Amino acid sequence: MNTPAVYSQRLGAISNSRFQAVSTRLGLGRFLEAKAIASGLFGQNVFMHTTAGEFVLRGAPHWVRGDGDATYRQEDRWQFTKERFFAQQLHERTSVPVPWPMRHDQSSDLLGWPYLVMPRMPGECFDERSILKALSPEDRVEVAGALGRMLAQMQQFHWPSAGDVSPVSMMFEPVAAGNTPWVINETLFYTAMAQANGAITPADRLLVESVCSTALELAQARPITFVHGDYKLDNLTLLKDNRGWRVAGVFDLHTARFGDGALDIVRQACSYLDTEPAMVTRFLQGYLDHVEVDASITQVTPLYVVNERMKIWEYFSRSETASQGSQQWRHGKTFTSWADRYVNGVLGALDEAGFHV
């Protein structure tokens, strides 16, 4: 049967003959079946089973928005070029379990856009809600520690300078100003976008300016390491063996960069604050036990929390997200009233985890 099936709204309908054409081009044998993937905010992925094994096809790449651009523009090469670059670096220079090889077909003749095909990673993938039903409290404590340890393991990968893969050159380019000004500029950019959408108050501007100013006063440069940029349960797989729970796969590298690794504690810590606050401390203990930290982490953490929360706030301030319930979600909140709990929660959890200024 070759009737096209819809595996996600983003990917649209794909026929078995198209999957076979992909498999043939990449040398992956005979196509057997495809399955939709329930997780994933953007619906870019579909499972693909061939005689060569289990794979994930990742398609319909994100468009890009350059510094200062108010709108996105189509650049179908960038996302997957970037993801493959960071996956290759992690595969060749660390023991972090990433899906490799990533086969990148930059042509659009088969599916209408470039795509990646990568091995399906072993283990189970949870989100912050499903894990509460699937695992016992004891298992969730182990998982939180495992997440912290894997984050520390990724940050053993150091790099000479902060930077990212450029959507223009399609190559890694350092950021001349350094990591902290880079994060500040990014924070101010999303703040300006949210303000244009009517979602920023004068008190919100004061909060942003305060955390930026404090971070700029940092007396010493923090180490530059690999940063996932979206490190959380949804973007990894977990396995339990006779040693307990461990992270068996790390993926979704489209927000990866080289910068300050402390950026990566924020998203999962905030997720735990929303669903299971006691796990934040366990997560940070697993992390802090395996990295060298100093007082500067508490000086930059407020900026990093505001940066990460502002991206979410700006997204839900857009007119096109109103149909997704954004107006109801923001009702009665300001950015400051919403973000303060996360800033204080992460700082408090750092203290509880054993890090004291």
Side-chain angles (χ1 to χ4, degrees):
M1 181 177 179
N2 195 38
T3 303
V6 176
Y7 295 93
S8 75
Q9 183 177 1
R10 186 184 186 104
L11 295 179
I14 306 175
S15 66
N16 287 352
S17 62
R18 293 293 180 181
F19 281 114
Q20 181 58 67
V22 169
S23 186
T24 299
R25 177 170 291 178
L26 300 181
L28 299 178
R30 181 167 55 87
F31 170 74
L32 300 175
E33 65 175 343
K35 291 182 179 179
I37 299 178
S39 61
L41 176 63
F42 297 107
Q44 285 191 281
N45 301 328
V46 57
F47 288 133
M48 189 175 83
H49 183 198
T50 78
T51 52
E54 297 277 354
F55 301 93
V56 174
L57 185 149
R58 185 159 170 82
H62 296 302
W63 290 6
V64 300
R65 182 166 63 186
D67 292 342
D69 292 341
T71 58
Y72 289 92
R73 60 182 174 82
Q74 186 171 3
E75 177 44 270
D76 286 346
R77 297 176 300 162
W78 174 73
Q79 181 191 353
F80 297 156
T81 298
K82 171 177 174 170
E83 291 201 53
R84 191 179 186 281
F85 169 81
F86 283 106
Q88 184 171 10
Q89 296 299 319
L90 288 167
H91 172 74
E92 293 179 351
R93 302 184 186 216
T94 77
S95 57
V96 174
V98 292
W100 189 261
M102 280 190 176
R103 299 168 173 89
H104 182 195
D105 185 355
Q106 298 190 47
S107 61
S108 302
D109 58 317
L110 296 183
L111 298 173
W113 19 253
Y115 58 89
L116 288 174
V117 174
M118 65 198 87
R120 181 176 178 177
M121 302 303 287
E124 298 294 324
C125 187
F126 304 102
D127 61 29
E128 69 272 20
R129 305 291 176 181
S130 65
I131 197 171
L132 298 175
K133 299 178 180 179
L135 300 184
S136 69
E138 294 77 16
D139 282 336
R140 297 199 302 271
V141 168
E142 277 195 38
V143 166
L147 295 182
R149 291 193 300 275
M150 178 53 66
L151 185 56
Q153 183 179 339
M154 288 195 296
Q155 292 176 14
Q156 297 304 308
F157 183 17
H158 290 250
W159 198 259
S161 61
D164 199 353
V165 172
S166 165
V168 178
S169 70
M170 299 295 154
M171 300 178 65
F172 176 83
E173 293 185 3
V175 177
N179 179 75
T180 300
W182 184 21
V183 177
I184 288 173
N185 288 338
E186 184 180 63
T187 306
L188 294 175
F189 173 79
Y190 283 100
T191 302
M193 295 291 289
Q195 185 165 357
N197 296 336
I200 295 295
T201 69
D204 298 336
R205 291 290 311 187
L206 287 175
L207 172 63
V208 172
E209 291 167 5
S210 174
V211 299
C212 291
S213 176
T214 299
L216 278 176
E217 293 169 359
L218 196 64
Q220 62 188 62
R222 289 184 50 78
I224 300 300
T225 73
F226 172 77
V227 177
H228 184 286
D230 195 16
Y231 185 73
K232 58 179 181 175
L233 282 167
D234 311 54
N235 293 333
L236 50 87
T237 54
L238 294 159
L239 268 179
K240 186 176 185 180
D241 55 25
N242 56 5
R243 295 174 296 174
W245 285 95
R246 61 182 174 86
V247 175
V250 178
F251 39 83
D252 280 9
L253 303 177
H254 69 279
T255 55
R257 65 209 290 183
F258 288 111
D260 180 2
L263 277 162
D264 261 346
I265 70 174
V266 175
R267 185 149 292 181
Q268 184 57 48
C270 289
S271 177
Y272 275 139
L273 285 170
D274 284 338
T275 58
E276 203 168 14
M279 295 300 173
V280 185
T281 299
R282 184 67 193 94
F283 166 59
L284 291 177
Q285 283 174 335
Y287 172 72
L288 294 171
D289 285 348
H290 295 85
V291 296
E292 293 185 12
V293 292
D294 55 49
S296 64
I297 193 171
T298 59
Q299 197 169 343
V300 296
T301 292
L303 169 64
Y304 295 166
V305 175
V306 167
N307 171 273
E308 190 269 348
R309 295 286 95 177
M310 185 61 76
K311 293 173 184 177
I312 297 172
W313 186 260
E314 185 276 327
Y315 176 80
F316 283 109
S317 75
R318 300 176 193 175
S319 58
E320 62 265 31
T321 62
S323 61
Q324 303 173 24
S326 65
Q327 291 178 341
Q328 181 179 357
W329 177 77
R330 290 196 300 111
H331 180 71
K333 299 186 183 83
T334 66
F335 176 74
T336 299
S337 69
W338 177 66
D340 264 347
R341 181 173 71 89
Y342 297 102
V343 174
N344 294 328
V346 176
L347 288 174
L350 281 167
D351 185 68
E352 290 179 12
F355 181 78
H356 305 286
V357 181

